[in-house]
Amino acid sequence: MFDPRDPAFLADPYPAFAALRAEGEVHQHDGLGIAITVSHAASAAVLRHRGLGRIWTDAQPLERFASFNLLHRNSLLENEPPAHSRLRRVIAGEFGRGHVQRLRPMVAELAESMVDTLAAKIAADGSADLLEHLAQPLPVAVIAELLGVPTSDGSQLVTWSNAIVKMYEYGLSEDGRDAAEQAAADFVAYLRDVVADSPRGIVRDLTASELTPDEVVATAVLLLMAGHEATVNVIGNGVTALLTHRTEWERLRSDPTLLDSAVEELIRFDSPLQLFERTATEDVEIAGHRVEKGSKIGALLGAAARDPKVFDAPDTLDVGRSPNAHLGFGMGIHYCVGAPLARVEIAAALTALTKRLPELRLAAVPERRPEFVIRGLRSLPVTA
C-alpha cells in the first residue's frame, strides 16, 4: 500500500494507483484509516450514493480549534440537505454558466496582463515562477473581485488558505494544526471586518440573505479558498504536463479549437484533488465492500482518472481527448459550484500563455508541495 508521505510516491502516484486497481476496486488503507476506491465506477458510486454524506466532526479539542470548526461546521461543503441545499441555493446563481460566461473578457484581460508580467520577468532574469506570476494571482484576483474583497489582500488570503487546507492531509504535525487554527481565526476576523465595512459583491449579497453571520463568514471563506486552490493547482500541474509532453503543447498552441478539451484533460491527467471523503449515514456497499454506518470511505480521484475501463491510454496526455468523464469536479449534490468559473480561468491562462509565450519551457524541475490530498506545486520555474 502506498505511503502518502513518501516523496517518490508524491512525485508520481499513478503507478501505485494502477497496481491497486489491478487487485480490486476498493482497498482498506490502514495508514489513512479509511477504505479507498481506485476505479472510476467505484469512485463515482461513492460520490453519488445518498447513503454517503459529508458529515462534519469537529476537530478536537474544541477550545483549540474554535475558528477552524466554525468555518467547517457552517460550510456547504461539510453539510448535507437540508442545510446544504439552503446554503448552496444562496450562491448558485453567482456561479451559473451564463453569469460566468459574461466574466470571460475580464478574466482574459487579467490573464493577459499577468502573462505580460511573466514575460517581462523572464526577459529580465532569464526565468520566472509561473505560479507566482500567473497561476496563483489569477484565480485570487477573480474571486476577490466577485466577492468584494480587496485584490491587494490576495497574497494574505493565499497564505491563510494554504495553512487551513493542510488540515485535510493525513499525519499533520501539531505545529501544522496550530497554524491552521491561527489562519482560520485570522480569516474569520478579516471577513467579519469586510462584512461590517460597506460590503460589496457576493459578500453584500450573502449579508442580505437568510444566512446567519457565521454562515456568511464560512461561505465567503469557502469561496475564497475553493475559488483559488483547485485552479492554481490545475494551472500548475497542467502547464507542467504540457511542457513535459511537448507535442501536446504544440498541438494546443497551433489549434485553439482544442482549448476546451485541453482544460478537461489537464484536470483529469493530474488531479488537483486526489481524495474526497464520505461518511456512511447507513450501511452501504460499494463494489462489494461493506461500509458500515458511521465509517468513512474515500474516492481516490487521481486513481479514477487513470482507469483504463473509462479512458483509452489513460497515462497519455491528450489535449483532444473526448469524451472525458473525469471526476475532478466531483459528482452529485457536492459537484463543485465554481466549476464553470474554474474552466474559464484555466482557459484564459492557457490562451494567454500559448499566444504570448509560444516557446515556453521549463527552466528547472518544478518543486512539488509535500502533500497528498491537495496535489500541487510550490514553484514552477519557466523560461522562453
Side-chain angles (χ1 to χ4, degrees):
M1 191 64 70
F2 62 83
D3 178 355
R5 296 164 297 183
D6 178 9
F9 167 77
L10 292 174
D12 183 9
Y14 301 106
F17 296 163
L20 284 175
R21 197 169 44 243
E23 297 175 7
E25 295 185 83
V26 187
H27 300 269
Q28 184 66 35
H29 193 299
D30 292 336
L32 301 179
I34 61 172
I36 52 171
T37 60
V38 292
S39 72
H40 188 281
S43 297
V46 167
L47 298 178
R48 289 196 312 258
H49 201 294
R50 295 302 299 128
L52 296 170
R54 293 289 292 185
I55 310 300
W56 175 251
T57 301
D58 281 340
Q60 299 291 332
L62 293 177
E63 62 274 12
R64 181 181 173 190
F65 296 106
S67 296
F68 182 83
N69 288 331
L70 181 151
L71 291 180
H72 291 79
R73 194 184 302 131
N74 294 283
S75 169
L76 70 89
L77 182 63
E78 304 296 350
N79 277 278
E80 291 297 295
H84 174 274
S85 304
R86 178 175 58 83
L87 292 166
R88 188 174 181 114
R89 184 171 59 247
V90 171
I91 62 168
E94 305 285 355
F95 295 93
R97 188 175 302 277
H99 182 66
V100 167
Q101 291 305 315
R102 291 191 289 274
L103 299 175
R104 274 189 182 274
M106 181 267 283
V107 177
E109 184 177 348
L110 280 171
E112 290 163 7
S113 175
M114 291 175 184
V115 170
D116 283 344
T117 300
L118 176 69
K121 188 71 172 174
I122 291 173
D125 300 339
S127 65
D129 185 356
L130 189 142
L131 290 189
E132 177 185 351
H133 296 288
L134 176 64
Q136 281 192 345
L138 177 61
V140 172
V142 173
I143 195 64
E145 177 62 27
L146 289 180
L147 279 164
V149 172
T151 55
S152 58
D153 294 341
S155 61
Q156 181 60 73
L157 305 180
V158 169
T159 299
W160 288 333
S161 177
N162 286 344
I164 292 170
V165 300
K166 283 184 172 60
M167 280 283 276
Y168 309 154
E169 302 293 335
Y170 296 85
L172 184 65
S173 69
E174 292 304 309
D175 286 346
R177 287 162 64 82
D178 287 338
E181 170 59 21
Q182 185 60 58
D186 291 342
F187 221 149
V188 168
Y190 173 84
L191 259 298
R192 291 208 194 283
D193 287 344
V194 169
V195 168
D197 183 22
S198 303
R200 62 185 182 89
I202 294 176
V203 169
R204 178 192 58 218
D205 297 341
L206 293 174
T207 304
S209 74
E210 65 192 69
L211 302 190
T212 68
D214 284 351
E215 288 172 341
V216 169
V217 169
T219 302
V221 169
L222 174 65
L223 293 176
L224 282 162
M225 289 172 54
H228 92 274
E229 280 287 346
T231 304
V232 63
N233 292 326
V234 172
I235 295 173
N237 294 345
V239 171
T240 300
L242 288 169
L243 297 183
T244 53
H245 298 77
R246 195 72 197 184
T247 57
E248 296 306 292
W249 170 266
E250 296 298 338
R251 282 182 71 195
L252 179 59
R253 185 179 68 81
S254 62
D255 186 358
T257 66
L258 293 174
L259 182 62
D260 289 345
S261 60
V263 169
E264 303 305 318
E265 177 68 347
L266 296 184
I267 296 167
R268 180 200 74 85
F269 187 75
D270 201 5
S271 176
L273 178 63
Q274 290 282 309
L275 180 72
F276 201 49
E277 287 185 358
R278 290 287 199 272
T279 300
T281 56
E282 60 188 50
D283 289 348
V284 170
E285 186 172 294
I286 299 292
H289 179 89
R290 181 178 175 82
V291 186
E292 295 185 354
K293 181 179 180 179
S295 60
K296 292 184 176 183
I297 186 168
L300 201 52
L301 304 181
R306 301 289 186 101
D307 189 338
K309 291 185 177 179
V310 176
F311 304 101
D312 292 335
D315 295 322
T316 299
L317 182 70
D318 177 5
V319 296
R321 186 182 297 274
S322 183
N324 193 333
H326 67 77
L327 304 176
F329 289 125
M331 293 184 76
I333 67 167
H334 287 287
Y335 183 82
C336 178
V337 69
L341 179 60
R343 288 184 167 107
V344 167
E345 292 168 344
I346 298 162
L350 294 176
T351 298
L353 286 169
T354 52
K355 286 183 176 180
R356 180 71 174 80
L357 293 169
E359 301 305 318
L360 190 73
R361 60 188 186 277
L362 295 178
V365 176
E367 182 183 2
R368 185 158 294 285
R369 286 165 56 168
E371 291 100 30
F372 161 55
V373 176
I374 308 293
R375 180 169 172 78
L377 301 173
R378 277 181 169 169
S379 67
L380 177 49
V382 293
T383 188

